[in-house]
Amino acid sequence: MEKELIFGHQNPDTDAIGTAIAYSYLQNKLGYNTEAVALGNPNDETAFALKKFGFKAPRVIKTAANEVNKVMLVDHNEPQQSVSDIEKVSVTHVIDHHRIMNFDTSSPLFYIAEPVGCTSTILWKLYKHFNVQIPQNIAGIMLSAIISDTLLLKSPTTTSDDRQAVEALASIAGVDYAEYGLEELKAGTNIKSKSEEDLINLDAKSFDLNGKAIRVAQINVVDLSEALTRKSALLKTMETTSSTDHYDLFMLLITNVLDSDSVVLICGSNEAKNVFEHAFGEVHDSQISLPGIVSRKKQVVPQLTEAFNLEVNL
Ligand code: MN
Ligand code: MN
């Protein structure tokens, strides 16, 4: 069988890396020849989860076409979030829980998309569908992915499927998910040791919204006020990055994982900032509080997309 690579998005999170590992295991059981790789190094939270369940970080690739002809994507589909030479390889499988945008293929493919809290929840159902047993360590890394994406089942993206998957996977992995989940989330909140540049790149995604380049970054903390002591340095770094990489709008969600609240820091063109304000309200001193907002894919990107679409019709 011809070898294929499986990977998640750039700036990988625990879903991107954990689900790639768990999907590769399943696909190999089903007769494929796959290797889970990553488009970046694991963040602190992911590193904690990998270590807990005895995995090494997947090999990091910059390009795919130099080693394979075919790839499988997890936890993303938008080409600008994928491997840099995605147009040079064929995508044979996708499992994802994001909006579908700018995704084209020249051949038929397997594509599973569900609006659930985590890609590993879909994968958990696939294991059942194919009647493949989930090993303890694979269950652990899938559980970690769901805890990460749903902020321990508190994000509004959480569905009953996610809850069922968490219960089932925790039992196979042999952990108390509430206790382990809090440890895992906290492992990703140490911002002290990181530069502003690290922080704005840790979990950042680019979106093309009606021709505007939007960058949405997110960091998890346990203390918003502590994070905001670095506000001016963060904004300065966001501005520099925006001018180098030509973003019309750069927003950083600083999310308190214990309270499920966010503060957003924002920079960009006046026009783009106006559109942002249409969607979310008035920004004061490059900052706005968004209580209850924790999900980029469900509570930020759709609202921004709508606001940018309306803008063109004004
Ligand atoms: Mn992800
Ligand atoms: Mn995900």
Side-chain angles (χ1 to χ4, degrees), residues 151-168:
L151 292 181
L152 200 35
L153 304 175
K154 284 194 302 187
S155 164
T157 56
T158 309
T159 65
S160 60
D161 284 1
D162 300 300
R163 289 177 208 284
Q164 281 178 45
V166 160
E167 300 266 356

Side-chain angles (χ1 to χ4, degrees), residues 43 57-58 65 82 85 105 124 132 139 180 196 249 273 299 302:
N43 62 35
S82 197
D85 62 345
T105 59
W124 171 68
V132 172
Y180 166 68
E196 281 73 23
L249 190 74
K273 280 196 280 195
Q299 296 174 298

Side-chain angles (χ1 to χ4, degrees), residues 50-237:
L50 289 169
K51 185 160 176 244
K52 166 88 181 178
F53 294 104
F55 291 102
K56 281 200 282 195
R59 182 166 67 86
V60 174
I61 61 160
K62 296 275 174 247
T63 53
N66 56 313
E67 42 179 318
V68 291
N69 298 312
K70 295 176 177 178
V71 301
M72 306 183 186
L73 308 183
V74 296
D75 198 33
H76 74 296
N77 68 81
E78 300 191 41
Q80 77 279 7
Q81 296 168 6
S82 197
V83 75
S84 58
D85 62 345
I86 187 72
E87 78 289 345
K88 293 191 189 147
V89 289
S90 35
V91 178
T92 64
H93 295 68
V94 179
I95 322 180
D96 190 21
H97 65 134
H98 293 85
R99 71 173 191 172
I100 301 170
M101 189 63 100
N102 304 323
F103 183 82
D104 300 295
T105 59
S106 47
S107 303
L109 76 162
F110 293 94
Y111 196 119
I112 306 175
E114 289 188 31
V116 293
C118 179
T119 316
S120 263
T121 299
I122 306 169
L123 188 52
W124 171 68
K125 294 199 275 186
L126 273 184
Y127 269 92
K128 287 208 289 190
H129 174 78
F130 287 111
N131 205 14
V132 172
Q133 274 221 313
I134 308 177
Q136 184 176 2
N137 60 341
I138 295 282
I141 203 68
M142 290 168 71
L143 172 70
S144 304
I146 304 174
I147 287 167
S148 172
D149 268 16
T150 63
L151 292 181
L152 200 35
L153 304 175
K154 284 194 302 187
S155 164
T157 56
T158 309
T159 65
S160 60
D161 284 1
D162 300 300
R163 289 177 208 284
Q164 281 178 45
V166 160
E167 300 266 356
L169 292 167
S171 139
I172 301 169
V175 297
D176 174 336
Y177 73 80
E179 189 185 328
Y180 166 68
L182 209 54
E183 276 178 54
E184 181 200 334
L185 290 181
K186 281 188 178 165
T189 62
N190 177 18
I191 64 168
K192 276 204 188 79
S193 59
K194 297 194 167 55
S195 69
E196 281 73 23
E197 184 143 18
D198 290 341
L199 291 174
I200 67 162
N201 284 307
L202 206 55
D203 175 11
K205 288 183 183 172
S206 297
F207 298 91
D208 177 336
L209 301 187
N210 224 335
K212 300 283 186 221
I214 314 298
R215 186 80 161 166
V216 187
Q218 185 168 28
I219 55 176
N220 288 344
V221 300
V222 288
D223 184 351
L224 284 176
S225 55
E226 185 205 334
L228 287 171
T229 60
R230 298 171 70 178
K231 174 179 168 180
S232 58
L234 284 166
L235 278 167
K236 201 173 159 206
T237 313

Side-chain angles (χ1 to χ4, degrees), residues 213-284:
I214 314 298
R215 186 80 161 166
V216 187
Q218 185 168 28
I219 55 176
N220 288 344
V221 300
V222 288
D223 184 351
L224 284 176
S225 55
E226 185 205 334
L228 287 171
T229 60
R230 298 171 70 178
K231 174 179 168 180
S232 58
L234 284 166
L235 278 167
K236 201 173 159 206
T237 313
M238 288 160 65
E239 271 154 23
T240 311
T241 304
S242 289
S243 70
T244 316
D245 295 342
H246 309 291
Y247 299 128
D248 296 289
L249 190 74
F250 194 131
M251 49 187 291
L252 173 66
L253 272 95
I254 307 174
T255 299
N256 184 328
V257 293
L258 304 181
D259 298 346
S260 303
D261 281 331
S262 296
V263 165
V264 173
L265 300 182
I266 183 161
C267 71
S269 69
N270 286 334
E271 188 195 346
K273 280 196 280 195
N274 280 338
V275 177
F276 174 90
E277 288 189 325
H278 279 299
F280 292 102
E282 209 175 320
V283 173
H284 293 282

